[in-house]
Amino acid sequence: MTYAAKNLTTGGRELIAFRVGDQEFCVNIMVVREIRGWTPATPMPHAPSYVLGVINLRGAVLPIVDLSARLGMKPAEPTIRHVIIVAQVKNQVVGLLVDAVSDILTVRDDEIQPTPDISSEFEKSFARGVLAIEGRMICLVELEAVFPQEEREAA
């Protein structure tokens, strides 16, 4: 029985866990529209360094963000193994480049531990907590904090 299956009867929130580099993160499943394979993006002039470019998603222009670079980690070198998490961040739809999607978790609020005080201010701004699950440490990310309103409008 998976961790998620054990918690379905107790209620809680569903999260999608994914890998970026050697770290695991998760976001609320309600912001995720779809998960798709890597598609090379068309670069956009004057875009922030973490914006890889745009792709055509069924007739809509979708900005692709290197989540590794956006979180202050080493920029990704996309391969066919990478995936794009298409997510709704307020009124903007963005594609998040991640290494792999690893799990769907169902957790109760009391299972989410506070972000440690030793974290940087930047990390605290987007990290809403940490989950310790089956020997793994998974950082809960608030996408609205990762992409402030001014940056979403620029993308």
Side-chain angles (χ1 to χ4, degrees):
M1 181 181 297
T2 67
Y3 183 83
K6 286 188 273 187
N7 284 295
L8 285 175
T9 57
T10 61
R13 66 173 83 183
E14 288 194 311
L15 308 169
I16 293 215
F18 53 89
R19 275 189 317 98
V20 175
D22 59 357
Q23 296 184 38
E24 280 192 278
F25 298 89
C26 61
V27 295
N28 187 324
I29 200 167
M30 297 307 291
V31 302
V32 176
R33 286 205 166 165
E34 68 180 272
I35 299 167
R36 53 183 293 121
W38 165 245
T39 303
T42 302
M44 295 297 295
H46 310 294
S49 60
Y50 57 84
V51 176
L52 297 174
V54 295
I55 64 170
N56 179 346
L57 181 65
R58 293 181 294 282
V61 175
L62 179 71
I64 303 299
V65 172
D66 178 352
L67 197 55
S68 180
R70 182 62 187 119
L71 297 179
M73 299 162 57
K74 179 181 167 200
E77 295 178 19
T79 67
I80 58 170
R81 299 187 90 124
H82 283 78
V83 295
I84 296 171
I85 298 174
V86 179
Q88 180 85 37
V89 183
K90 288 228 178 193
N91 59 354
Q92 171 85 36
V93 178
V94 296
L96 308 172
L97 176 70
V98 301
D99 292 359
V101 171
S102 54
D103 241 331
I104 295 177
L105 308 168
T106 301
V107 299
R108 295 182 318 271
D109 287 344
D110 64 354
E111 294 174 291
I112 301 171
Q113 300 176 27
T115 306
D117 286 336
I118 59 171
S119 301
S120 70
E121 286 305 312
F122 175 68
E123 188 174 280
K124 285 183 193 176
S125 71
F126 65 81
R128 291 297 170 255
V130 178
L131 299 162
I133 299 173
E134 299 171 355
R136 299 155 48 200
M137 298 300 286
I138 305 171
C139 178
L140 174 59
V141 173
E142 177 63 55
L143 290 179
E144 290 181 12
V146 174
F147 303 105
Q149 183 66 35
E150 315 78 61
E151 293 183 20
R152 285 196 307 271
E153 289 170 359

